[in-house]
């Protein structure tokens, strides 16, 4: 699924798109715990999180995650968007819960990492 | 190549800037992406540990053609029992640290899993030194 399909599946808003709008994602991982995200070896995955701060962006940067979906209708700060631009990470805003966001994307075909 | 970064306890806004800078350098050197990820994940967790648990610290990064060596030296409370601190799930992190997405006691074990060599020396009441070495041609 590309970024546009993913965003449509969760009625999300794309806050920032790095170059790879057409890039295909196969896997997703959901967590509010960044230490957890940092243990995942899978590449080409997107991160679904309710953790709304710059560390979510930093964690994605270190983990080679190209896209983050922020759930539970949280406000994403300018500083976070600026860091995402700097590091080339696409951001999507979802007003749904983590559970609903995951459920919709799972149904749409994204795979779990384990 | 040698780089030095200074880091302040509690400064979560800048936590990760060292790992980010190192990532850029390793990319330019065309290091295997798997090794880059291992390395910067370890550096990031070690950096977060200074921010989360210490007062301030200095990070020295040395890169040659064979390996990257990173030393994290902090002034802080130190670690009374390193074996216990290495256990997954052991954490003394504050509520603030947990709000930042860390503090589940997974950092040190993940650093170990992502490094070829890890050394931790600590003196209670003084501080902690963490040394990570990763080789570029992993056998
Ligand atoms: N630089 C440090 N200075 C003092 N204590 C530390 C340091 N790094 C780790 N620790 C101690 O080791 C514990 C485990 O660290 P870690 O595995 O990274 O988990 P976490 O940081 O999530 O608590 C910490 O909770 C803390 O008690
Ligand atoms: Mg830690």
């Amino acid at each position: 699924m590309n970024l546009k399909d993913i965003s449509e599946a969760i009625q999300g808003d794309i806050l920032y798109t790095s170059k790879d709008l057409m890039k295909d994602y196969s896997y997703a991982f959901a967590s509010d715990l960044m230490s957890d995200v940092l243990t995942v070896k899978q590449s080409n995955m997107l991160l679904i999180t309710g953790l709304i701060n710059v560390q979510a962006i930093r964690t994605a940067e270190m983990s080679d995650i190209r896209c983050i979906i922020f759930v539970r209708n949280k406000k994403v700060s300018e500083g976070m968007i600026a860091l995402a631009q700097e590091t080339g990470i696409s951001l999507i805003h979802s007003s749904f819960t983590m559970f609903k966001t995951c459920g919709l994307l799972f149904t749409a075909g994204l795979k779990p990492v384990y | 190549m040698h780089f030095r970064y200074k880091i302040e306890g509690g400064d979560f806004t800048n936590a990760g800037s060292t790992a980010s800078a190192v990532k850029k350098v390793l990319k330019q050197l065309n290091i295997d992406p798997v090794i880059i990820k291992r390395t910067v994940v370890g550096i990031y967790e070690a950096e977060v540990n200074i921010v989360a648990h210490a007062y301030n610290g200095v990070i020295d990064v040395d890169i040659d053609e064979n390996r990257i060596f990173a030393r994290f030296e902090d002034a802080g409370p130190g670690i009374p029992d390193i074996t216990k601190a290495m256990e997954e799930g052991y954490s003394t992190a504050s509520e603030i640290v947990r709000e930042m997405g860390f503090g589940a006691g997974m950092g040190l074990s993940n650093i170990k899993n992502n490094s070829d060599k890890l050394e931790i020396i600590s003196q209670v009441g003084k501080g902690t030194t963490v040394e990570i070495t990763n080789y570029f041609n992993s056998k």
Side-chain angles (χ1 to χ4, degrees):
Chain A
M1 290 176 86
N2 65 35
L3 209 67
K4 215 169 131 277
D5 303 333
I6 289 165
S7 182
E8 271 166 17
I10 58 169
Q11 297 168 40
D13 296 309
I14 299 178
L15 300 178
Y16 169 67
T17 321
S18 70
K19 295 184 280 286
D20 44 26
L21 185 65
M22 297 320 284
K23 181 183 159 55
D24 263 314
Y25 293 91
S26 310
Y27 294 91
F29 186 79
S31 182
D32 287 351
L33 178 63
M34 295 304 107
S35 280
D36 229 359
V37 179
L38 289 163
T39 63
V40 179
K41 304 258 174 316
Q42 182 72 52
S43 58
N44 187 32
M45 68 167 190
L46 63 87
L47 171 63
I48 302 162
T49 187
L51 184 86
I52 315 293
N53 60 39
V54 290
Q55 296 314 318
I57 318 271
R58 282 293 185 210
T59 298
E61 181 191 2
M62 302 319 151
S63 303
D64 295 327
I65 291 169
R66 315 302 319 159
C67 175
I68 307 175
I69 300 174
F70 292 110
V71 298
R72 297 185 215 116
N73 201 20
K74 298 269 175 70
K75 173 102 182 70
V76 176
S77 73
E78 290 301 319
M80 289 169 67
I81 294 174
L83 189 60
Q85 286 169 341
E86 200 185 305
T87 50
I89 294 165
S90 303
L91 304 181
I92 299 176
H93 175 272
S94 165
S95 47
F96 298 148
T97 60
M98 172 101 86
F99 182 70
K100 184 165 178 178
T101 305
C102 291
L104 289 169
L105 291 175
F106 188 89
T107 309
L110 282 184
K111 294 191 283 279
V113 298
Y114 56 81
Chain B
M1 256 186 286
H2 196 102
F3 308 90
R4 168 166 281 204
Y5 307 90
K6 290 204 165 68
I7 180 153
E8 286 300 311
D11 183 11
F12 270 102
T13 326
N14 288 311
S17 48
T18 300
S20 179
V22 169
K23 183 167 187 179
K24 284 195 191 90
V25 173
L26 294 180
K27 260 180 155 172
Q28 268 165 18
L29 293 173
N30 272 319
I31 304 298
D32 176 355
V34 174
I35 296 175
I36 296 182
K37 180 166 168 177
R38 270 166 64 75
T39 304
V40 299
V41 161
I43 289 178
Y44 184 38
E45 282 281 9
E47 198 181 349
V48 167
N49 274 353
I50 298 181
V51 174
H53 306 296
Y55 314 137
N56 57 71
V58 175
I59 306 175
D60 281 293
V61 178
D62 189 78
I63 301 171
D64 67 23
E65 62 272 31
N66 297 316
R67 59 105 183 92
I68 175 167
F69 171 80
R71 176 196 283 122
F72 303 76
E73 197 172 356
D74 72 51
I79 306 174
D81 185 343
I82 293 174
T83 314
K84 199 166 168 189
M86 292 292 304
E87 278 172 22
E88 213 176 294
Y90 176 83
S91 176
T92 61
S94 66
E95 188 56 40
I96 297 154
V97 174
R98 283 197 292 272
E99 276 167 17
M100 298 312 296
F102 292 88
M106 296 168 66
L108 289 175
S109 53
N110 201 28
I111 295 170
K112 187 160 178 53
N113 289 337
N114 282 291
S115 57
D116 293 331
K117 217 158 100 187
L118 168 67
E119 262 180 86
I120 304 172
I121 302 161
S122 192
Q123 231 181 318
V124 174
K126 284 194 99 170
T128 301
T129 301
V130 174
E131 293 180 349
I132 299 172
T133 309
N134 274 358
Y135 297 96
F136 297 143
N137 296 306
S138 46
K139 292 125 260 168

